[in-house]
Amino acid sequence: MVQRIVRSGAGRAVDAVWGVLLRRPALWLAIWSVLLIGVQGAADSRSMSSWFYIVRGVHTILGPQPLSLFAMHPELQMGPLAFVLSAPFVLLPHPAGTIAAAVMMQGAGLLAVLAARGLLRPSDRFGDRRWFAGAVITMAAWTELAVRYGHADDVLALLGGVLALRLLHDGAVLRAALLIGLAVDCKPWIAPLAFVLLMAPRRRWLPAASVVVLVVAAVWVPFFIDPHWVRALRFTIAVDPTATIRLLGLADARTPAWCRPAQILLGAGAVALAARRGRPESTLLLVVVTRLLLDPGAHLYYAAGAVLGGCLLDLTAVVPVAASLALLGLELPPYVFPFQDLTQAVIRVVTLGLLGVLAIAGPRRRSAVRVGASTASSRSERVVSVPG
C-alpha cells in the first residue's frame, strides 16, 4: 500500500513537471538555448571557428566579380544563398555581427524543433513528451554546429529541410518543393531530400520537381558563367583518420572521386524508399546518414543533422532512441577515445548503420501522413496509414 502511494505521488509529480514544461515549451527551449550559447562561449574561445568561410564568400559576392565565387574560392563548398542570407551579419561591425549570427543560427535550430512538433498526431498521448525530450537533445547538438563552428550553410539547409517536411505533412506540396530547392541553394548535400516529394499524389510530381529544378537553377546557374567554376568540383579534402570510408582501406589520402556522387545517389535511393513506404519523418535522417557514411570528414558538427533527423524519427518510433543514439555515437567517441582512430571509425559506422536501420525498418506507432494539394482550387488529400 505504501509503495503504491509513493509511486502514485511520484507519478503525479512527474506529470506536474511535464505540465509546466509543455505549457510553454518554446519558452523553456529558448532558455535552454541561451544557456547552451553561454556555456559554449565560456568553455571554448574558438567559437564560430568556421565563420571565416562565410565572411570570405560574402565579401566575394559583394565584390567586383561576384559570379566568379567558385572560380576564385573553390574551397567554399557552400551554396550561394547561404552567403546572401549571411551578408547582413558579416557587414555588421565585429564582434557584434558574429555574435548576432551565432544567436540567429541557434534560433534557427529552435525554429526547426518547434516546426517538428507539428508532425505529431493530435491523438498521440505522450507525443509531446517525446518531442520535447528530443528537442532538448537536439539543441545541445545544434550548439556545436551553430555556435562552436558557425556553419550557416548547414544550419539553413537543415532548417529548410524540416520546414519542407512540415509543409508536405500539411499538404502544401509546391511550397515544400520550394523550401527544398532553397535548402539545396544553401548546401548541395541536402538535395536527396527532394525525393520525399514522391509521397505526393502522382499528378503533383512534375509540378513539384519543376519547382525544385527552377529554384536551384535560378541560384546556381549564374555562377557557372565563369568557366573556371569547375575548380570547385575538383576541390578535395584530406580523409579524416576516423572517417568511415577509412574502413574501406583507401590508399588515397584525399577525397575519392566517387565520394560525392555516391553520397547523392545513395541518399536519393534511401529517401525514395522511405517516401514510398510512407516514412517521411525518417527522410532527413537518411540524407544525413548516407552523407556521413561516405564523407571524408568526421567533424563534430555533422552530428547536429543526425540528432535533428533522429528527433523527427522518434516522433513516430515505438522506442524513441534515434536522437540519443546519434548524440552518443557521433559526439562522444572523440572525447572518450581521443587517440584511437580505428575505434572511433568503427563506433561511427555502427552508429550510422543502426540509425539507417531504424529509419528504414524501425517499428512505429500508427500514424497518418497527409499529403495533398495546397491550392485553393484543390483540397484533396492522400492519407497513408502505417501500422506500427
Side-chain angles (χ1 to χ4, degrees):
M1 176 67 71
V2 174
Q3 291 179 341
R4 188 178 304 137
I5 293 174
V6 170
R7 284 198 297 267
S8 176
R12 286 196 295 270
V14 170
D15 289 340
V17 171
W18 276 116
V20 171
L21 292 175
L22 295 176
R23 194 169 297 121
R24 294 183 177 179
L27 173 62
W28 294 114
L29 288 173
I31 293 173
W32 174 235
S33 297
V34 171
L35 289 174
L36 288 169
I37 293 175
V39 170
Q40 174 60 41
D44 190 351
S45 60
R46 300 172 298 169
S47 294
M48 299 289 282
S49 59
S50 296
W51 180 247
F52 71 92
Y53 287 116
I54 295 292
V55 174
R56 186 178 299 168
V58 169
H59 286 315
T60 302
I61 283 183
L62 297 179
Q65 296 178 291
L67 299 183
S68 295
L69 173 67
F70 298 112
M72 297 169 62
H73 296 289
E75 77 281 5
L76 298 181
Q77 303 282 294
M78 307 172 181
L81 185 60
F83 300 119
V84 173
L85 295 178
S86 301
F89 303 102
V90 173
L91 296 178
L92 287 173
H94 184 76
T98 305
I99 295 172
V103 172
M104 289 299 294
M105 285 190 284
Q106 186 78 351
L110 179 59
L111 177 59
V113 296
L114 290 175
R117 191 184 190 188
L119 300 177
L120 285 169
R121 284 191 307 142
S123 59
D124 193 338
R125 181 182 177 189
F126 296 107
D128 278 335
R129 296 186 183 186
R130 292 198 315 277
W131 162 76
F132 189 85
V136 169
I137 296 171
T138 299
M139 291 312 300
W142 191 271
T143 306
E144 190 90 26
L145 168 66
V147 183
R148 181 178 179 183
Y149 287 94
H151 269 267
D153 52 332
D154 290 286
V155 166
L156 292 167
L158 289 168
L159 173 60
V162 173
L163 294 178
L165 292 174
R166 173 65 185 273
L167 287 169
L168 186 64
H169 175 271
D170 293 341
V173 178
L174 296 184
R175 281 184 286 170
L178 172 64
L179 262 294
I180 291 174
L182 293 175
V184 176
D185 291 336
C186 293
K187 192 70 170 182
W189 66 256
I190 199 75
L193 188 63
F195 284 83
V196 74
L197 297 171
L198 291 174
M199 287 204 65
R202 288 180 182 271
R203 69 180 184 279
R204 308 293 285 171
W205 287 2
L206 182 58
S210 299
V211 169
V212 173
V213 171
L214 288 174
V215 170
V216 172
V219 172
W220 283 92
V221 169
F223 294 90
F224 298 163
I225 294 175
D226 188 326
H228 295 100
W229 71 268
V230 295
R231 294 178 60 199
L233 296 180
R234 303 191 191 108
F235 181 78
T236 61
I237 63 174
V239 178
D240 192 284
T242 64
T244 56
I245 59 174
R246 279 283 188 183
L247 300 176
L248 300 176
L250 294 175
D252 190 352
R254 306 294 296 184
T255 308
W258 52 263
C259 184
R260 300 306 185 189
Q263 286 176 321
I264 298 295
L265 292 175
L266 182 60
V271 170
L273 175 62
R276 297 314 295 165
R277 295 191 65 191
R279 290 174 171 259
E281 71 283 351
S282 69
T283 52
L284 182 63
L285 178 60
L286 286 170
V287 173
V288 177
V289 164
T290 53
R291 178 199 182 193
L292 301 193
L293 274 173
L294 298 175
D295 203 277
H299 302 294
L300 286 177
Y301 68 82
Y302 287 173
V307 177
L308 176 61
C311 178
L312 297 182
L313 180 62
D314 287 343
L315 295 178
T316 58
V318 171
V319 182
V321 297
S324 300
L325 176 62
L327 184 69
L328 296 175
L330 300 177
E331 285 266 14
L332 287 188
Y335 298 105
V336 179
F337 308 102
F339 305 109
Q340 301 179 40
D341 295 342
L342 179 59
T343 300
Q344 289 188 45
V346 171
I347 293 175
R348 190 177 183 84
V349 76
V350 169
T351 298
L352 293 172
L354 289 174
L355 289 172
V357 170
L358 289 174
I360 291 292
R364 304 194 307 165
R365 293 172 171 82
R366 289 192 64 86
S367 62
V369 181
R370 300 183 298 127
V371 179
S374 59
T375 60
S377 60
S378 178
R379 299 293 182 186
S380 61
E381 289 183 341
R382 180 181 66 171
V383 178
V384 182
S385 295
V386 184

